[in-house]
Amino acid sequence: MKPLLREIRYSFYLAVHPFKGFWDIKHEGAGSVRAASILLALYTLVSVLSAYFTGYLFSAGTAGEVQPVRQMFTILALFFGYCISNWAFTCLFDGEGTFADIYRATGYALLPLILTTALLIPLSNFFVLEEQAFYTTISTLGTVWTAFLLLISVLVTHNYSLGKGLGMILCIGFGMCVIAYIALLFFNLLQQMIGFVVIAATEFTTRYL
Amino acid sequence: MHRLQKLTALLCVAAVLLPSLPASADSYIYVRKGQAVPAPAAYSLSQEVTLTADGAAAQTPQDVYRAGDGTLYIADTGNHRILICGADYRVQGAITRLTRPDGSADALNAPEGVYADEAGTIYIADTGNHRIVCCGTDGSVQRIIEKPANLTGVSEDSAFNPTKLSVDSSGRLYVVARNYNLGILQLDAAGGFVGYIGAPRVQYNLVQMLWRKLSTEEQLAKMEQYVPTEYNNLAIDSEGFVYGTIGTLDAEKLKAAIQSGDTSGSVSPIKKLNTTGSDVLKRNGFAAPLGDLEYEDNPSKIVDVAYGESGVYALLDAEHGHIFLYDDNGNLLCAFGGNGTGAGAFHQVSSLVFADRTLLITDALTAKLYVYEPTEYGTLVLDAVAAQYTGDFDDAYALWSEVARCNRNFEFAFVGVGQAYSNDGQYEQAMECFAYADDTTNYSKAKALARKETMKTVFPVIFVALLVIAAGAFLFGLINRMRRYVRGEIGPGR
């Protein structure tokens, strides 16, 4: 139990010491896969709770249309899409990171996003429209901080220079689109195959039985 | 609050006794999301009057005006005459021939606009003869106003085709002329040109301002200074505000304005002009007052405006034959009517006017006068608007509650109920009403007030708790230091 707590507390250290933090994840074995998984699960939970419990003024009237399962799948798909795309492009760009490194680094980078989203749930129920600036500031702070941590994770895990790191980020984005496109094709083909089998079976049964 | 509760109880009893109101197929209202939903009929057709005088039925009546004593003046354009009807909508007379002061005869030619002042002088926009005629009810001409000599903004040989006109309390004429796109023409009592009103100045963006800095004097003179605005109708209310309607708006711009929820008034078929010519129409509803928000082929073409009591005004849409009533803040109260071939359906509406709360509409193709009376529901809505206009919040609450009971789709009624709650100090119920009506602005205001109330009771508790914690921490630190001193871990002093 205690080592797990220590690994999760490491994410706080990482948030304010990104370069040393990511270096230690890669070379010194700090942090662990299970802690990263717990952080990912925590982010999914907080995101779904935010969709349910954000105050009326800041929820854009969509509080009644929440689909928790769909939201969970979106977050997981984005996360794993990012990791796989990241790992795939390291081959092209001579990166030094393994998939475990990338998974741990990305999981730990999520901490600011988790904290700000969780903080905003009670705040959105308390604030008035005039205080929207506070709400937006906190929300933007979380997003920008996490994005910054992700950029640093790419630089440190694969040992890139800044220019190459930024180029890598663009490629990761492109890679995520390609993954999404192939997944779409795959599911479409699967749908057509299954559809064909079902129609053939229906026709057979209605014609000969 | 006791009074409110009593009123509610009374209304519950009354509600049981009131018959249920049927929804009409052609009455609807728009919800905040922009869809049209059915609504109970606020107005119903009570009479279809065929206008006949001297054996000839009216042809393409283009304008109707109601004087203070209830007399109706209808511009019977196709028959080149003005019909005069009494308050019972029966034709009493007609102005077919004019007599000049010198005795010679004169005639109208396709008059499209008519106005009558309190003294009984009738102003006729004699469009076919390119002039304005002021005469009495017997046709005796008092004044003829031709195209003003010192008219600016149009070419010398352009024809002067006045279509609609009105006169303000100081005797100044406001004239809408066809193809004049610099706004409404202002003429003095003698017919001299005073100016244009209602065309906004062009607003330059950064690039255009740079270009203007580099242009020569001649180039600057040729550039557009005023946004081309061609009005097609107008009405002047008792306070001197000029309501003007514009029928030539670009369909694409209107569509963009509707979809973006633009309520700034830059793209608007209705303008309320004050004496300096600025548009002061309040557009505080969730959508700007411009007619239909959802349509299949073309947007609404507003051809007339009529002002009623408590700031309510009605817009007439000739494209679909719809009539829209708005309150003075620009909230849609009801929408009804429609073109069609059935009984009572319009073909091409041309003009409308309020007779107290009754609406009178002329149709150019069927050449009839349609009299629409407010139904029970319509009377409730108008009463609620009037109560809110005068600040009578208890009555407004009762009336809006009843309106909300009749029409659960009418979000503005819930806003009215919410505002009454808010004024009474019941912020939680107010917030519930505003959330139902999707009104984030008012919800936010009520929430701010509720928060202030809660803070009044909660803040002292929090403050005292913080003080206690701080005192406790200080004492704890002090005791800890004393213990360590006694044990010899730290020396005397610091």
Side-chain angles (χ1 to χ4, degrees):
Chain A
M1 194 59 196
K2 254 198 125 176
L4 182 63
L5 279 178
R6 189 160 31 97
E7 283 155 10
I8 295 183
R9 264 214 302 275
Y10 185 73
S11 64
F12 286 89
Y13 176 78
L14 185 110
V16 285
H17 298 90
F19 287 99
K20 180 137 172 43
F22 284 121
W23 179 269
D24 283 347
I25 284 184
K26 184 173 165 58
H27 294 276
E28 314 289 339
S32 68
V33 170
R34 63 182 176 183
S37 309
I38 287 181
L39 284 174
L40 175 65
L42 210 60
Y43 177 59
T44 315
L45 177 72
V46 162
S47 197
V48 168
L49 283 180
S50 161
Y52 270 117
F53 294 117
T54 305
Y56 168 74
L57 285 172
F58 298 99
S59 65
T62 56
E65 301 162 4
V66 181
Q67 288 175 307
V69 180
R70 173 183 278 201
Q71 196 154 3
M72 247 173 55
F73 273 126
T74 312
I75 294 171
L76 290 175
L78 278 173
F79 184 87
F80 284 107
Y82 173 86
C83 290
I84 293 172
S85 181
N86 194 342
W87 176 72
F89 273 101
T90 58
C91 309
L92 284 172
F93 287 120
D94 299 321
E96 296 169 8
T98 64
F99 190 75
D101 289 335
I102 294 169
Y103 182 79
R104 271 181 286 157
T106 317
Y108 275 100
L110 284 179
L111 182 77
L113 209 52
I114 297 173
L115 288 179
T116 52
T117 315
L119 179 66
L120 283 177
I121 297 176
L123 278 186
S124 68
N125 284 301
F126 182 73
F127 278 158
V128 205
L129 268 186
E130 281 86 15
E131 288 137 18
Q132 188 155 29
F134 291 123
Y135 184 88
T136 319
T137 309
I138 295 176
S139 162
T140 314
L141 179 71
T143 317
V144 165
W145 198 347
T146 298
F148 179 65
L149 288 179
L150 284 176
L151 169 66
I152 309 257
S153 84
V154 164
L155 290 185
V156 172
T157 315
H158 306 305
N159 208 5
Y160 287 151
S161 64
L162 182 63
K164 207 165 173 193
L166 287 172
M168 177 74 165
I169 296 269
L170 286 173
C171 291
I172 292 174
F174 173 70
M176 285 167 78
C177 296
V178 170
I179 291 175
Y181 174 67
I182 293 179
L184 198 70
L185 272 181
F186 174 69
F187 279 111
N188 202 354
L189 280 173
L190 201 65
Q191 202 174 25
Q192 293 200 358
M193 265 175 23
I194 294 177
F196 170 73
V197 170
V198 166
I199 288 173
T202 319
E203 193 169 328
F204 183 78
T205 49
T206 43
R207 201 184 270 263
Y208 297 113
L209 296 175
Chain B
M1 191 44 215
H2 230 44
R3 262 183 77 196
L4 271 176
Q5 280 169 333
K6 271 204 203 145
L7 271 166
T8 329
L10 266 172
L11 274 167
C12 289
V13 174
V16 173
L17 302 172
L18 267 178
S20 63
L21 300 164
S24 169
D26 60 352
S27 277
Y28 59 100
I29 194 102
Y30 279 101
V31 289
R32 198 169 274 265
K33 292 207 171 114
Q35 298 152 331
V37 294
Y43 274 85
S44 64
L45 183 63
S46 82
Q47 280 184 63
E48 251 178 73
V49 180
T50 318
L51 305 157
T52 334
D54 307 325
Q59 269 188 5
T60 61
Q62 291 287 1
D63 199 12
V64 59
Y65 179 76
R66 182 174 182 269
D69 60 355
T71 324
L72 286 175
Y73 298 88
I74 298 175
D76 188 359
T77 314
N79 286 331
H80 314 291
R81 63 183 180 181
I82 306 290
L83 297 173
I84 304 174
C85 303
D88 58 350
Y89 317 123
R90 306 281 159 253
V91 178
Q92 286 171 352
I95 303 175
T96 30
R97 277 177 296 278
L98 301 170
T99 334
R100 295 241 191 95
D102 59 8
S104 58
D106 204 346
L108 298 166
N109 187 353
E112 285 186 36
V114 65
Y115 176 87
D117 66 10
E118 283 108 23
T121 319
I122 303 175
Y123 295 75
I124 305 168
D126 196 359
T127 317
N129 286 332
H130 314 295
R131 64 183 183 176
I132 297 168
V133 175
C134 309
C135 65
T137 46
D138 54 356
S140 52
V141 174
Q142 295 168 9
R143 217 157 68 236
I144 293 185
I145 299 171
E146 307 266 352
K147 177 176 175 181
N150 51 345
L151 190 62
T152 61
V154 287
S155 55
E156 280 296 320
D157 48 348
S158 70
F160 177 59
N161 292 322
T163 50
K164 301 282 188 289
L165 81 169
S166 200
V167 180
D168 72 0
S169 49
S170 58
R172 204 174 270 195
L173 279 96
Y174 291 80
V175 181
V176 167
R178 191 167 288 136
N179 293 330
Y180 279 24
N181 58 5
L182 287 176
I184 299 175
L185 219 56
Q186 264 181 319
L187 306 175
D188 61 24
F193 173 66
V194 173
Y196 286 100
I197 186 176
R201 291 197 84 104
V202 176
Q203 302 239 343
Y204 299 109
N205 59 20
L206 204 56
V207 175
Q208 285 169 326
M209 282 213 281
L210 279 171
W211 191 242
R212 279 175 71 82
K213 279 242 184 294
L214 300 170
S215 305
T216 64
E217 288 290 330
E218 287 115 11
Q219 282 176 322
L220 278 175
K222 287 216 191 107
M223 283 187 202
E224 295 273 356
Q225 280 201 305
Y226 291 92
V227 176
T229 323
E230 192 184 327
Y231 286 86
N232 58 6
N233 213 326
L234 82 166
I236 303 183
D237 72 1
S238 48
E239 291 169 12
F241 288 108
V242 179
Y243 289 87
T245 56
I246 302 167
T248 51
L249 285 177
D250 187 49
E252 291 299 322
K253 278 200 196 141
L254 260 178
K255 198 182 199 122
I258 292 173
Q259 274 169 347
S260 64
D262 180 16
T263 52
S264 66
S266 51
V267 179
S268 175
I270 167 87
K271 290 192 194 284
K272 182 175 174 181
L273 308 168
N274 64 4
T275 42
T276 62
S278 320
D279 181 10
V280 296
L281 190 70
K282 288 195 227 170
R283 296 180 173 86
N284 298 332
F286 63 84
L290 40 72
D292 273 318
L293 304 176
E294 257 187 347
Y295 44 85
E296 279 170 6
D297 37 11
N298 289 318
S300 297
K301 183 175 170 194
I302 307 294
V303 293
D304 202 1
V305 58
Y307 57 90
E309 39 184 56
S310 315
V312 170
Y313 58 95
L315 292 184
L316 185 65
D317 167 17
E319 183 72 29
H320 309 123
H322 288 144
I323 296 120
F324 304 92
L325 259 78
Y326 296 94
D327 79 338
D328 75 318
N329 267 317
N331 294 296
L332 180 65
L333 297 174
C334 63
F336 60 95
N339 288 337
T341 47
F346 298 124
H347 287 198
Q348 189 178 50
V349 287
S350 54
S351 184
L352 96 162
V353 78
F354 264 109
D356 296 323
R357 285 186 172 178
T358 313
L359 272 170
L360 305 170
I361 299 144
T362 54
D363 186 315
L365 284 182
T366 62
K368 288 191 193 168
L369 179 76
Y370 296 83
V371 181
Y372 272 83
E373 299 275 356
T375 59
E376 263 178 272
Y377 170 72
T379 316
L380 270 175
V381 173
L382 291 171
D383 283 340
V385 170
Q388 190 141 14
Y389 191 71
T390 53
D392 225 342
F393 288 113
D394 285 335
D395 288 341
Y397 162 76
L399 290 161
W400 280 128
S401 302
E402 191 51 30
V403 172
R405 187 197 76 87
C406 297
N407 186 359
R408 287 243 174 269
N409 285 330
F410 190 23
E411 289 161 346
F412 183 55
F414 286 92
V415 171
V417 175
Q419 277 172 341
Y421 272 129
S422 196
N423 277 306
D424 204 57
Q426 296 185 302
Y427 301 117
E428 295 303 317
Q429 283 100 318
M431 276 162 39
E432 230 179 272
C433 289
F434 292 134
Y436 182 88
D438 240 346
D439 189 350
T440 45
T441 324
N442 278 317
Y443 183 94
S444 174
K445 284 190 202 156
K447 193 186 182 84
L449 292 167
R451 212 168 59 170
K452 209 155 56 161
E453 285 293 320
T454 336
M455 271 299 155
K456 278 193 206 156
T457 48
V458 165
F459 185 70
V461 175
I462 294 181
F463 190 63
V464 166
L466 281 174
L467 269 182
V468 165
I469 290 173
F474 177 70
L475 278 173
F476 183 72
L478 200 65
I479 292 172
N480 215 10
R481 272 229 308 277
M482 271 169 39
R483 248 188 30 221
R484 286 165 69 196
Y485 177 68
V486 162
R487 280 208 220 126
E489 285 163 22
I490 50 178
R494 278 264 147 180

